[in-house]
Amino acid sequence: MDATSHITLASLAQQVLVGLSRTTILFIVSSGLSLILGVLRIPNLSHGSLYMIGAFVTYSAAVFIGGSTGFWLALIIAPAVVALLSLAVERGLLRFLYDREHLMLLLFTFALTLVFGDLVKLIWGSDYRSLTAPPLLQGSFDLAGLPFPRYNLFLLLLGPLVALGLWLLTNKTKIGKLAKAAAVDREMVAAMGINVSWVFAAVFCIGCFLAGLGGALVAPTQNITQGMDHTIIMEAFLIVIIGGLGNMWGALLGALIFGLTDAIGILVWPQFAIVFPYVAVVVVLVFRPKGLLQSTW
Amino acid sequence: MLENIKNHRGLWVVAGLALLLAFWPSLVPRFYVYLVSLMLVTGLLATSLNLVLGFGGLYQFHHAVFYGVGAYGAALMIKWSGLSPWWGLLVGPLAAALLSLVIGIICVRLSQLYYGMLQISLGSLVWAIVFRWYSFTGGDDGIHGIAVPGAIASVSGAYWFTLAVTAACLLVMYLVINSPFGRVLMATRDNSERAEMIGVHLIGHQLIALVIAGFFGGVAGVLFVVVEGSVFPDMMFWTLSLEILVMCLLGGWFTFMGPMLGAAMMVGLRTVVGIYTEYWTLVLGVILMLLIFFLPQGVLGFIGAKRTPAMAHSRRED
């Protein structure tokens, strides 16, 4: 609690900026979760596992290729690997379950979580890994007398780009428009002669790609360990709930609220920082039980 | 589906099982006494979840939090209060019931998936607090060597206590489900709009069911303390909640004894698999996938459906 006395405006500003860059990762992961929830109506518990796999693959790819190139290539390779893995799972197993109730789908994604968790343990062992960012993104620069890490700036710039990309994807491409239509009324889309099954596959794949991208981006900022899947999935669930299920802008808003309350929590009361975002969620839900923005269903 | 229990063959099975359980400690080595105690505890937990999940139709994704709070309530009371440990055993379930009421009030107005996702998140918050509050809860180490009352401290003493309490709790839950309240609860599950239309107070009934389920989840937690003598935060981690869901699925969640059977099978299987490999979760994941694809109504549900083919095989709730 003695941290309270040291809070200055500058340290608050710095913490807010760090919180905002963390928001980027939260947004990327939870927008993928939200996309899958909105279109497929699956609360994908394995989203966290895919995030973890993304981080581990990033590590392995970056180490294998080596140097700065390794890192930049790994940022592309890891999400692609995760997306391919998810496509295999969707085509091989998940697509046969779409007419079952939510509970079965949830339990299926839980089964995936269990299997992926142990597969990661089998492949990478139980030790943690750490990855250093390339020299370009190392160190920090001066921000009104306080150091601000360069990698966080990189994340801060990347967030809006990903949001823009997602917006273009859902609003300007055929698959995005089909996905939006299928989210509202899948029978009608099928009646128009469109293969809804493949729309679902594409959406699931894109959603999981985002989980992998989140994992890749988080890799240099923390230890890559078993169990990082469990933390992120609960955070992503909360963010999606605050924002409104299936709403991409909701995911952005939710990630902002979560990231900022978490950052301020760390400043005010480090031991129980985690409580702050939850309190924010409860407050939001008391006033808007269906989330801040319109949910798609 | 409760007819399974009522008809004669079911009755014989239950009677035979009761007789076996009554003489269990004098028949087998201590490890198996302990194992059956653990099965009973887990089965009670799964049955209490099924009260709101199978019979109430509520997506209670994080039920283990009440198990954990029950156990921690007892453990902390015994550790810090200095009163007789029996008080701890009483406080645990009450704390769980209270928490269930609080979480229920926040979540109960939301529709199914929303309810489940918020419930699992709030439950995780409780876990996070317990996990970080080192000075009070022992953090990730948990609390060990809890002084349970001397009369029930031995392996067989814990077994008798667990057996008696579990049997009493199952009886109470059976009576609750077959009471007018239970029937109304099932009506809210099958068609909540129609139930409200004929004057049922929907949220009230769901909240009462949640508090009852939370209470018995807490009792299971207290029994765990009696059997194990320790508590740790993993008891209320969300993966355990989903494992209990799997137990309900395995046994059959529209049957009363299904979760008990599922829990016994799962605890037994974990023990056996644990001898051969450390990758139990991988095995569990594969079993779960097989269940979802080939046996979605569970073991008891499968047997029940075979006996009465006219009964609806699947019940969609979308």
Side-chain angles (χ1 to χ4, degrees):
Chain A
M1 286 295 278
D2 60 334
T4 321
S5 51
H6 299 302
I7 297 172
T8 61
L9 205 58
S11 68
L12 186 69
Q14 188 201 25
Q15 193 62 24
V16 165
L17 276 175
V18 170
L20 278 176
S21 44
R22 171 128 178 83
T23 297
T24 300
I25 287 165
L26 290 174
F27 163 66
I28 290 172
V29 174
S30 46
S31 63
L33 184 71
S34 190
L35 191 68
I36 294 171
L37 255 170
V39 180
L40 279 74
R41 314 207 166 172
I42 298 174
N44 183 17
L45 275 174
S46 66
H47 212 67
S49 312
L50 294 167
Y51 163 88
M52 176 170 70
I53 291 173
F56 272 104
V57 172
T58 306
Y59 167 82
S60 290
V63 169
F64 182 74
I65 302 167
S68 292
T69 351
F71 176 79
W72 294 111
L73 280 178
L75 279 192
I76 301 164
I77 292 169
V81 167
V82 169
L84 281 177
L85 180 66
S86 69
L87 187 67
V89 168
E90 200 276 342
R91 288 289 93 183
L93 297 167
L94 187 58
R95 71 180 166 127
F96 302 108
L97 296 174
Y98 285 143
D99 56 344
R100 300 285 193 84
E101 58 260 50
H102 297 318
L103 211 51
M104 287 295 179
L105 290 166
L106 178 96
L107 283 175
F108 177 77
T109 63
F110 177 58
L112 287 179
T113 309
L114 297 172
V115 171
F116 286 154
D118 261 3
L119 283 182
V120 167
K121 201 157 85 178
L122 270 169
I123 297 172
W124 283 280
S126 338
D127 297 337
Y128 71 83
R129 306 292 161 91
S130 49
L131 181 68
T132 42
L136 180 68
L137 299 176
Q138 276 174 16
S140 49
F141 63 92
D142 195 64
L143 187 96
L146 284 161
F148 186 69
R150 284 187 194 195
Y151 194 80
N152 287 30
L153 181 72
F154 167 65
L155 289 177
L156 218 47
L157 296 174
L158 202 64
L161 281 180
V162 173
L164 183 69
L166 263 179
W167 182 81
L168 286 175
L169 185 77
T170 45
N171 289 291
K172 298 290 170 193
T173 64
K174 190 179 174 204
I175 184 76
K177 286 177 184 171
L178 282 178
K180 276 172 94 171
V184 180
D185 191 342
R186 60 177 84 170
E187 279 84 9
M188 197 61 207
V189 175
M192 306 297 277
I194 287 149
N195 191 342
V196 180
S197 178
W198 274 102
V199 175
F200 280 9
V203 167
F204 190 72
C205 201
I206 294 166
C208 294
F209 176 89
L210 290 166
L213 182 63
L217 288 171
V218 89
T221 65
Q222 65 175 63
N223 288 334
I224 306 162
T225 72
Q226 305 266 326
M228 63 191 284
D229 51 342
H230 296 322
T231 326
I232 192 83
I233 188 66
M234 286 302 133
E235 292 174 344
F237 263 34
L238 274 182
I239 287 165
V240 169
I241 294 169
I242 317 178
L245 300 194
N247 190 315
M248 197 193 82
W249 297 113
L252 182 60
L253 199 59
L256 272 173
I257 293 174
F258 195 99
L260 288 179
T261 45
D262 194 41
I264 291 166
I266 289 169
L267 203 63
V268 179
W269 196 9
Q271 192 188 6
F272 290 111
I274 189 157
V275 175
F276 288 71
Y278 280 91
V279 172
V281 172
V282 172
V283 170
V284 165
L285 286 175
V286 166
F287 293 106
R288 303 217 23 134
K290 289 239 146 192
L292 286 169
L293 301 181
Q294 175 89 50
S295 84
T296 51
W297 48 287
Chain B
M1 305 238 174
L2 293 164
E3 285 80 61
N4 287 340
I5 313 281
K6 282 184 191 157
N7 70 26
H8 290 299
R9 211 197 291 174
L11 204 65
W12 282 114
V13 172
V14 171
L17 206 62
L19 202 66
L20 183 67
L21 285 175
F23 291 103
W24 190 246
S26 47
L27 297 173
V28 294
R30 269 171 47 164
F31 174 73
Y32 293 99
V33 177
Y34 161 79
L35 193 64
V36 170
S37 303
L38 213 56
M39 285 175 177
L40 289 169
V41 170
T42 317
L44 177 60
L45 177 63
T47 310
S48 71
L49 166 65
N50 204 40
L51 193 70
V52 282
L53 180 83
F55 294 99
L58 284 162
Y59 280 12
Q60 180 94 328
F61 287 165
H62 202 342
H63 192 65
V65 71
F66 307 115
Y67 182 54
V69 165
Y72 268 93
L76 292 171
M77 187 79 184
I78 292 171
K79 188 179 171 192
W80 297 105
S81 77
L83 293 171
S84 155
W86 291 103
W87 284 106
L89 304 192
L90 195 66
V91 164
L94 292 178
L98 186 68
L99 179 73
S100 187
L101 182 67
V102 172
I103 293 185
I105 287 172
I106 298 172
C107 300
V108 82
R109 279 173 306 155
L110 306 179
S111 60
Q112 299 202 321
L113 259 191
Y114 253 109
Y115 173 90
M117 289 175 66
L118 186 62
Q119 208 262 337
I120 202 173
S121 307
L122 289 178
S124 306
L125 172 65
V126 176
W127 171 81
I129 293 173
V130 168
F131 191 77
R132 300 197 180 189
W133 200 349
Y134 265 95
S135 54
F136 187 56
T137 62
D140 59 350
D141 296 332
I143 302 168
H144 300 279
I146 299 160
V148 293
I152 54 172
S154 69
V155 171
S156 53
Y159 172 81
W160 292 119
F161 185 70
T162 305
L163 183 63
V165 173
T166 304
C169 290
L170 285 183
L171 183 66
V172 172
M173 278 192 274
Y174 187 78
L175 293 177
V176 165
I177 286 169
N178 287 290
S179 68
F181 169 81
R183 297 291 173 194
V184 173
L185 187 68
M186 278 184 257
T188 66
R189 170 194 74 187
D190 292 335
N191 194 331
S192 58
E193 279 171 13
R194 194 180 288 173
E196 267 196 306
M197 217 54 161
I198 57 169
V200 171
H201 192 291
L202 182 65
I203 289 178
H205 275 77
Q206 289 177 334
L207 270 181
I208 293 171
L210 283 171
V211 170
I212 295 172
F215 179 84
F216 286 115
V219 172
V222 166
L223 291 179
F224 182 84
V225 172
V226 171
V227 172
E228 229 22 271
S230 56
V231 291
F232 32 85
D234 271 5
M235 287 181 71
M236 53 171 97
F237 200 56
W238 62 269
T239 51
L240 177 64
S241 289
L242 286 155
E243 274 182 44
I244 316 165
L245 266 171
V246 179
M247 291 168 194
C248 293
L249 172 69
L250 175 63
W253 43 26
F254 303 118
T255 61
F256 182 74
M257 288 308 284
M260 198 62 169
L261 179 69
M265 288 166 74
M266 202 75 98
V267 172
L269 201 64
R270 183 169 54 203
T271 313
V272 174
V273 171
I275 298 170
Y276 298 102
T277 170
E278 57 171 316
Y279 296 103
W280 155 245
T281 55
L282 186 67
V283 176
L284 179 63
V286 173
I287 292 174
L288 177 52
M289 283 187 195
L290 291 175
L291 266 180
I292 291 169
F293 276 98
F294 300 112
L295 199 65
Q297 71 274 56
V299 173
L300 281 189
F302 181 72
I303 296 170
K306 273 210 146 175
R307 275 215 226 139
T308 47
M311 204 184 283
H313 281 215
S314 62
R315 205 180 54 78
R316 293 286 307 280
E317 38 186 337
D318 212 5

PDB file of all heavy atoms in Angstrom, chain B residues 264-284:
ATOM      1  N   ALA B 264     -17.281 -40.842  -9.662  1.00  0.00           N
ATOM      2  CA  ALA B 264     -16.581 -42.047  -9.212  1.00  0.00           C
ATOM      3  C   ALA B 264     -15.713 -42.603 -10.334  1.00  0.00           C
ATOM      4  O   ALA B 264     -14.547 -42.956 -10.122  1.00  0.00           O
ATOM      5  CB  ALA B 264     -17.594 -43.090  -8.747  1.00  0.00           C
ATOM      6  N   MET B 265     -16.286 -42.633 -11.559  1.00  0.00           N
ATOM      7  CA  MET B 265     -15.525 -43.154 -12.692  1.00  0.00           C
ATOM      8  C   MET B 265     -14.290 -42.290 -12.956  1.00  0.00           C
ATOM      9  O   MET B 265     -13.193 -42.795 -13.194  1.00  0.00           O
ATOM     10  CB  MET B 265     -16.416 -43.193 -13.947  1.00  0.00           C
ATOM     11  CG  MET B 265     -17.464 -44.283 -13.905  1.00  0.00           C
ATOM     12  SD  MET B 265     -18.736 -44.064 -15.161  1.00  0.00           S
ATOM     13  CE  MET B 265     -17.864 -44.540 -16.618  1.00  0.00           C
ATOM     14  N   MET B 266     -14.497 -40.963 -12.885  1.00  0.00           N
ATOM     15  CA  MET B 266     -13.407 -40.048 -13.221  1.00  0.00           C
ATOM     16  C   MET B 266     -12.280 -40.113 -12.188  1.00  0.00           C
ATOM     17  O   MET B 266     -11.100 -40.157 -12.552  1.00  0.00           O
ATOM     18  CB  MET B 266     -13.954 -38.628 -13.303  1.00  0.00           C
ATOM     19  CG  MET B 266     -13.089 -37.734 -14.109  1.00  0.00           C
ATOM     20  SD  MET B 266     -13.274 -38.090 -15.828  1.00  0.00           S
ATOM     21  CE  MET B 266     -14.421 -36.842 -16.243  1.00  0.00           C
ATOM     22  N   VAL B 267     -12.650 -40.127 -10.905  1.00  0.00           N
ATOM     23  CA  VAL B 267     -11.620 -40.186  -9.857  1.00  0.00           C
ATOM     24  C   VAL B 267     -10.863 -41.506  -9.953  1.00  0.00           C
ATOM     25  O   VAL B 267      -9.626 -41.548  -9.863  1.00  0.00           O
ATOM     26  CB  VAL B 267     -12.260 -40.014  -8.454  1.00  0.00           C
ATOM     27  CG1 VAL B 267     -11.230 -40.281  -7.361  1.00  0.00           C
ATOM     28  CG2 VAL B 267     -12.829 -38.617  -8.302  1.00  0.00           C
ATOM     29  N   GLY B 268     -11.608 -42.587 -10.203  1.00  0.00           N
ATOM     30  CA  GLY B 268     -10.968 -43.890 -10.353  1.00  0.00           C
ATOM     31  C   GLY B 268     -10.011 -43.910 -11.528  1.00  0.00           C
ATOM     32  O   GLY B 268      -8.855 -44.337 -11.426  1.00  0.00           O
ATOM     33  N   LEU B 269     -10.500 -43.368 -12.647  1.00  0.00           N
ATOM     34  CA  LEU B 269      -9.697 -43.349 -13.872  1.00  0.00           C
ATOM     35  C   LEU B 269      -8.431 -42.528 -13.695  1.00  0.00           C
ATOM     36  O   LEU B 269      -7.342 -42.926 -14.123  1.00  0.00           O
ATOM     37  CB  LEU B 269     -10.552 -42.757 -14.993  1.00  0.00           C
ATOM     38  CG  LEU B 269     -10.139 -43.090 -16.412  1.00  0.00           C
ATOM     39  CD1 LEU B 269     -10.267 -44.581 -16.636  1.00  0.00           C
ATOM     40  CD2 LEU B 269     -11.018 -42.342 -17.396  1.00  0.00           C
ATOM     41  N   ARG B 270      -8.573 -41.368 -13.024  1.00  0.00           N
ATOM     42  CA  ARG B 270      -7.414 -40.496 -12.829  1.00  0.00           C
ATOM     43  C   ARG B 270      -6.346 -41.222 -12.018  1.00  0.00           C
ATOM     44  O   ARG B 270      -5.153 -41.124 -12.296  1.00  0.00           O
ATOM     45  CB  ARG B 270      -7.833 -39.209 -12.121  1.00  0.00           C
ATOM     46  CG  ARG B 270      -6.690 -38.228 -11.950  1.00  0.00           C
ATOM     47  CD  ARG B 270      -7.162 -36.883 -11.490  1.00  0.00           C
ATOM     48  NE  ARG B 270      -7.968 -36.988 -10.284  1.00  0.00           N
ATOM     49  CZ  ARG B 270      -8.855 -36.079  -9.896  1.00  0.00           C
ATOM     50  NH1 ARG B 270      -9.067 -35.018 -10.610  1.00  0.00           N
ATOM     51  NH2 ARG B 270      -9.550 -36.246  -8.797  1.00  0.00           N
ATOM     52  N   THR B 271      -6.799 -41.975 -11.012  1.00  0.00           N
ATOM     53  CA  THR B 271      -5.853 -42.722 -10.186  1.00  0.00           C
ATOM     54  C   THR B 271      -5.129 -43.772 -11.010  1.00  0.00           C
ATOM     55  O   THR B 271      -3.914 -43.926 -10.919  1.00  0.00           O
ATOM     56  CB  THR B 271      -6.596 -43.389  -9.014  1.00  0.00           C
ATOM     57  OG1 THR B 271      -7.450 -42.414  -8.431  1.00  0.00           O
ATOM     58  CG2 THR B 271      -5.636 -43.909  -7.978  1.00  0.00           C
ATOM     59  N   VAL B 272      -5.893 -44.500 -11.838  1.00  0.00           N
ATOM     60  CA  VAL B 272      -5.299 -45.571 -12.638  1.00  0.00           C
ATOM     61  C   VAL B 272      -4.349 -44.978 -13.684  1.00  0.00           C
ATOM     62  O   VAL B 272      -3.210 -45.423 -13.830  1.00  0.00           O
ATOM     63  CB  VAL B 272      -6.402 -46.402 -13.325  1.00  0.00           C
ATOM     64  CG1 VAL B 272      -5.774 -47.413 -14.283  1.00  0.00           C
ATOM     65  CG2 VAL B 272      -7.237 -47.121 -12.284  1.00  0.00           C
ATOM     66  N   VAL B 273      -4.835 -43.942 -14.407  1.00  0.00           N
ATOM     67  CA  VAL B 273      -4.009 -43.346 -15.463  1.00  0.00           C
ATOM     68  C   VAL B 273      -2.750 -42.730 -14.864  1.00  0.00           C
ATOM     69  O   VAL B 273      -1.669 -42.812 -15.435  1.00  0.00           O
ATOM     70  CB  VAL B 273      -4.819 -42.296 -16.256  1.00  0.00           C
ATOM     71  CG1 VAL B 273      -3.911 -41.526 -17.209  1.00  0.00           C
ATOM     72  CG2 VAL B 273      -5.936 -42.962 -17.032  1.00  0.00           C
ATOM     73  N   GLY B 274      -2.909 -42.146 -13.663  1.00  0.00           N
ATOM     74  CA  GLY B 274      -1.787 -41.489 -12.998  1.00  0.00           C
ATOM     75  C   GLY B 274      -0.626 -42.432 -12.720  1.00  0.00           C
ATOM     76  O   GLY B 274       0.517 -41.998 -12.601  1.00  0.00           O
ATOM     77  N   ILE B 275      -0.924 -43.739 -12.615  1.00  0.00           N
ATOM     78  CA  ILE B 275       0.140 -44.711 -12.374  1.00  0.00           C
ATOM     79  C   ILE B 275       1.053 -44.800 -13.595  1.00  0.00           C
ATOM     80  O   ILE B 275       2.255 -44.957 -13.484  1.00  0.00           O
ATOM     81  CB  ILE B 275      -0.466 -46.102 -12.072  1.00  0.00           C
ATOM     82  CG1 ILE B 275      -1.324 -46.024 -10.806  1.00  0.00           C
ATOM     83  CG2 ILE B 275       0.630 -47.162 -11.906  1.00  0.00           C
ATOM     84  CD1 ILE B 275      -2.167 -47.260 -10.552  1.00  0.00           C
ATOM     85  N   TYR B 276       0.435 -44.671 -14.797  1.00  0.00           N
ATOM     86  CA  TYR B 276       1.188 -44.926 -16.017  1.00  0.00           C
ATOM     87  C   TYR B 276       1.784 -43.685 -16.666  1.00  0.00           C
ATOM     88  O   TYR B 276       2.810 -43.756 -17.322  1.00  0.00           O
ATOM     89  CB  TYR B 276       0.298 -45.651 -17.031  1.00  0.00           C
ATOM     90  CG  TYR B 276      -0.171 -46.983 -16.535  1.00  0.00           C
ATOM     91  CD1 TYR B 276      -1.467 -47.148 -16.050  1.00  0.00           C
ATOM     92  CD2 TYR B 276       0.692 -48.076 -16.517  1.00  0.00           C
ATOM     93  CE1 TYR B 276      -1.896 -48.382 -15.571  1.00  0.00           C
ATOM     94  CE2 TYR B 276       0.273 -49.300 -16.030  1.00  0.00           C
ATOM     95  CZ  TYR B 276      -1.022 -49.447 -15.564  1.00  0.00           C
ATOM     96  OH  TYR B 276      -1.427 -50.645 -15.086  1.00  0.00           O
ATOM     97  N   THR B 277       1.112 -42.539 -16.531  1.00  0.00           N
ATOM     98  CA  THR B 277       1.582 -41.372 -17.272  1.00  0.00           C
ATOM     99  C   THR B 277       1.288 -40.090 -16.504  1.00  0.00           C
ATOM    100  O   THR B 277       0.353 -40.039 -15.708  1.00  0.00           O
ATOM    101  CB  THR B 277       0.916 -41.304 -18.659  1.00  0.00           C
ATOM    102  OG1 THR B 277       1.219 -40.040 -19.251  1.00  0.00           O
ATOM    103  CG2 THR B 277      -0.582 -41.440 -18.577  1.00  0.00           C
ATOM    104  N   GLU B 278       2.092 -39.053 -16.793  1.00  0.00           N
ATOM    105  CA  GLU B 278       1.813 -37.765 -16.167  1.00  0.00           C
ATOM    106  C   GLU B 278       0.875 -36.927 -17.036  1.00  0.00           C
ATOM    107  O   GLU B 278       0.489 -35.835 -16.674  1.00  0.00           O
ATOM    108  CB  GLU B 278       3.126 -37.006 -15.922  1.00  0.00           C
ATOM    109  CG  GLU B 278       3.927 -36.805 -17.181  1.00  0.00           C
ATOM    110  CD  GLU B 278       5.106 -35.867 -16.988  1.00  0.00           C
ATOM    111  OE1 GLU B 278       4.932 -34.828 -16.346  1.00  0.00           O
ATOM    112  OE2 GLU B 278       6.199 -36.200 -17.488  1.00  0.00           O
ATOM    113  N   TYR B 279       0.543 -37.462 -18.221  1.00  0.00           N
ATOM    114  CA  TYR B 279      -0.291 -36.681 -19.134  1.00  0.00           C
ATOM    115  C   TYR B 279      -1.775 -37.019 -18.965  1.00  0.00           C
ATOM    116  O   TYR B 279      -2.457 -37.392 -19.910  1.00  0.00           O
ATOM    117  CB  TYR B 279       0.170 -36.888 -20.578  1.00  0.00           C
ATOM    118  CG  TYR B 279       1.567 -36.357 -20.785  1.00  0.00           C
ATOM    119  CD1 TYR B 279       2.655 -37.211 -20.855  1.00  0.00           C
ATOM    120  CD2 TYR B 279       1.786 -34.987 -20.857  1.00  0.00           C
ATOM    121  CE1 TYR B 279       3.936 -36.716 -21.008  1.00  0.00           C
ATOM    122  CE2 TYR B 279       3.062 -34.481 -21.010  1.00  0.00           C
ATOM    123  CZ  TYR B 279       4.130 -35.352 -21.090  1.00  0.00           C
ATOM    124  OH  TYR B 279       5.395 -34.850 -21.235  1.00  0.00           O
ATOM    125  N   TRP B 280      -2.261 -36.884 -17.726  1.00  0.00           N
ATOM    126  CA  TRP B 280      -3.653 -37.179 -17.437  1.00  0.00           C
ATOM    127  C   TRP B 280      -4.585 -36.251 -18.198  1.00  0.00           C
ATOM    128  O   TRP B 280      -5.620 -36.687 -18.709  1.00  0.00           O
ATOM    129  CB  TRP B 280      -3.907 -37.089 -15.926  1.00  0.00           C
ATOM    130  CG  TRP B 280      -5.325 -36.791 -15.540  1.00  0.00           C
ATOM    131  CD1 TRP B 280      -5.778 -35.674 -14.914  1.00  0.00           C
ATOM    132  CD2 TRP B 280      -6.471 -37.626 -15.733  1.00  0.00           C
ATOM    133  NE1 TRP B 280      -7.131 -35.751 -14.719  1.00  0.00           N
ATOM    134  CE2 TRP B 280      -7.579 -36.931 -15.216  1.00  0.00           C
ATOM    135  CE3 TRP B 280      -6.677 -38.871 -16.317  1.00  0.00           C
ATOM    136  CZ2 TRP B 280      -8.874 -37.445 -15.248  1.00  0.00           C
ATOM    137  CZ3 TRP B 280      -7.973 -39.389 -16.351  1.00  0.00           C
ATOM    138  CH2 TRP B 280      -9.055 -38.688 -15.815  1.00  0.00           C
ATOM    139  N   THR B 281      -4.233 -34.967 -18.312  1.00  0.00           N
ATOM    140  CA  THR B 281      -5.153 -34.042 -18.964  1.00  0.00           C
ATOM    141  C   THR B 281      -5.322 -34.373 -20.442  1.00  0.00           C
ATOM    142  O   THR B 281      -6.401 -34.186 -21.004  1.00  0.00           O
ATOM    143  CB  THR B 281      -4.697 -32.577 -18.816  1.00  0.00           C
ATOM    144  OG1 THR B 281      -3.379 -32.474 -19.299  1.00  0.00           O
ATOM    145  CG2 THR B 281      -4.750 -32.101 -17.399  1.00  0.00           C
ATOM    146  N   LEU B 282      -4.271 -34.876 -21.057  1.00  0.00           N
ATOM    147  CA  LEU B 282      -4.373 -35.301 -22.452  1.00  0.00           C
ATOM    148  C   LEU B 282      -5.382 -36.435 -22.577  1.00  0.00           C
ATOM    149  O   LEU B 282      -6.266 -36.422 -23.449  1.00  0.00           O
ATOM    150  CB  LEU B 282      -2.999 -35.748 -22.948  1.00  0.00           C
ATOM    151  CG  LEU B 282      -2.874 -36.108 -24.427  1.00  0.00           C
ATOM    152  CD1 LEU B 282      -3.071 -34.884 -25.282  1.00  0.00           C
ATOM    153  CD2 LEU B 282      -1.523 -36.731 -24.715  1.00  0.00           C
ATOM    154  N   VAL B 283      -5.269 -37.407 -21.667  1.00  0.00           N
ATOM    155  CA  VAL B 283      -6.204 -38.534 -21.657  1.00  0.00           C
ATOM    156  C   VAL B 283      -7.631 -38.028 -21.429  1.00  0.00           C
ATOM    157  O   VAL B 283      -8.570 -38.411 -22.135  1.00  0.00           O
ATOM    158  CB  VAL B 283      -5.807 -39.549 -20.556  1.00  0.00           C
ATOM    159  CG1 VAL B 283      -6.815 -40.679 -20.475  1.00  0.00           C
ATOM    160  CG2 VAL B 283      -4.421 -40.097 -20.830  1.00  0.00           C
ATOM    161  N   LEU B 284      -7.768 -37.128 -20.454  1.00  0.00           N
ATOM    162  CA  LEU B 284      -9.087 -36.576 -20.146  1.00  0.00           C
ATOM    163  C   LEU B 284      -9.672 -35.865 -21.366  1.00  0.00           C
ATOM    164  O   LEU B 284     -10.859 -36.024 -21.689  1.00  0.00           O
ATOM    165  CB  LEU B 284      -8.987 -35.603 -18.967  1.00  0.00           C
ATOM    166  CG  LEU B 284     -10.284 -34.922 -18.544  1.00  0.00           C
ATOM    167  CD1 LEU B 284     -11.300 -35.927 -18.053  1.00  0.00           C
ATOM    168  CD2 LEU B 284     -10.020 -33.884 -17.467  1.00  0.00           C
TER     169      LEU B 284
END
